[in-house]
């Protein structure tokens, strides 16, 4: 599939649809998407028409109807659709966050520990996270890496948390792979 350029609004709506669909595995109502992205349901319906034309969503008619993301939607957002992904827990102010899984961890400025940041790519919504919140990621499945940090910023559209790293640990020894 060729690369599709989506507007910021379309990315936000499509990301919300994928997150809500992942939670329920059922068609997602436009009103639920509207509530998730804090927009008018009419706006969502209009955007869904353009996303349907791009073959990124399919409409499901009937009382239990709504919208489902297509395989193209995952590809357009560069999100892996995994049947059974390895689980990496995320803790927000010492409480485990339900319905969220860590997809990827990117570290920057590792050679400057005081500047080191972690970009945490999440499957699930990051809307309830706020700057200054305490975040713990891990342990990861293979290396058992655990990162403790303070939320420095976030990208709601791409579901990314940016952490100022306070502590990072992985047990010493042979990796389990």
């Amino acid at each position: 599939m060729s690369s599709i350029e989506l507007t910021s609004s379309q990315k936000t709506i499509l990301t919300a649809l994928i997150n809500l669909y992942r939670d329920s595995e059922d068609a997602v109502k436009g009103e639920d998407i509207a509530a998730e992205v804090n927009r008018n349901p009419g706006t969502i319906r209009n955007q869904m028409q353009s996303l349907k034309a791009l073959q990124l969503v399919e409409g499901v008619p009937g009382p239990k109807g709504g919208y489902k993301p297509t395989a193209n939607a995952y590809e357009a957002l560069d999100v892996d659709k995994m049947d059974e992904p390895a689980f990496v827990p995320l803790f927000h102010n010492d409480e485990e966050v339900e319905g969220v899984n860590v997809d990827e961890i990117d570290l920057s400025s590792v050679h400057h520990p005081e500047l080191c940041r972690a970009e945490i790519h999440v499957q699930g919504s990051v809307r309830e996270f706020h700057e200054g919140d305490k975040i713990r990621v891990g342990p990861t499945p293979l290396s058992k890496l655990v990162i403790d940090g303070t939320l420095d910023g976030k990208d709601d559209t791409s579901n990314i948390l940016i952490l100022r790293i306070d502590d990072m640990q992985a047990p010493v020894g042979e990796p389990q792979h």
Side-chain angles (χ1 to χ4, degrees):
M1 184 181 139
S2 64
S3 175
I4 297 175
E5 284 297 317
L6 297 174
T7 66
S8 173
S9 180
Q10 288 173 322
K11 284 181 185 174
T12 300
I13 290 167
L14 198 54
T15 299
L17 172 63
I18 287 173
N19 291 339
L20 292 166
Y21 181 74
R22 189 178 282 131
D23 290 343
S24 68
E25 291 291 322
D26 285 323
V28 179
K29 296 198 175 304
E31 293 79 12
D32 295 338
I33 298 167
E36 177 71 17
V37 299
N38 201 20
R39 298 242 172 84
N40 183 302
T43 302
I44 301 303
R45 280 191 293 278
N46 292 338
Q47 288 286 353
M48 286 305 191
Q49 292 306 316
S50 64
L51 293 172
K52 276 201 281 190
L54 292 169
Q55 298 179 328
L56 298 176
V57 301
E58 64 181 61
V60 178
K64 294 202 181 278
Y67 303 96
K68 289 183 176 182
T70 65
N72 292 344
Y74 292 89
E75 196 175 305
L77 292 177
D78 199 24
V79 173
D80 293 329
K81 184 180 182 188
M82 295 183 267
D83 292 331
E84 286 300 320
F87 181 69
V88 179
L90 181 69
F91 296 86
H92 179 215
N93 294 328
D94 298 323
E95 296 281 325
E96 186 169 352
V97 181
E98 298 293 323
V100 168
N101 193 9
V102 174
D103 204 23
E104 182 179 326
I105 300 170
D106 292 326
L107 300 173
S108 65
S109 302
V110 178
H111 53 283
H112 289 294
E114 64 280 354
L115 300 176
C116 193
R117 298 283 186 273
E119 277 189 10
I120 311 300
H121 298 249
V122 175
Q123 291 181 357
S125 178
V126 298
R127 294 199 182 281
E128 300 304 315
F129 295 85
H130 304 287
E131 206 169 303
D133 290 355
K134 292 292 179 197
I135 308 294
R136 171 175 275 198
V137 179
T140 59
L142 296 176
S143 65
K144 305 298 182 209
L145 175 69
V146 176
I147 298 173
D148 287 304
T150 305
L151 188 63
D152 215 23
K154 66 179 179 172
D155 179 344
D156 287 327
T157 304
S158 301
N159 289 348
I160 298 173
L161 300 173
I162 301 166
L163 304 185
R164 187 173 52 250
I165 296 175
D166 300 326
D167 188 39
M168 188 165 42
Q169 297 180 15
V172 178
E174 288 296 311
Q176 298 177 357
H177 51 82

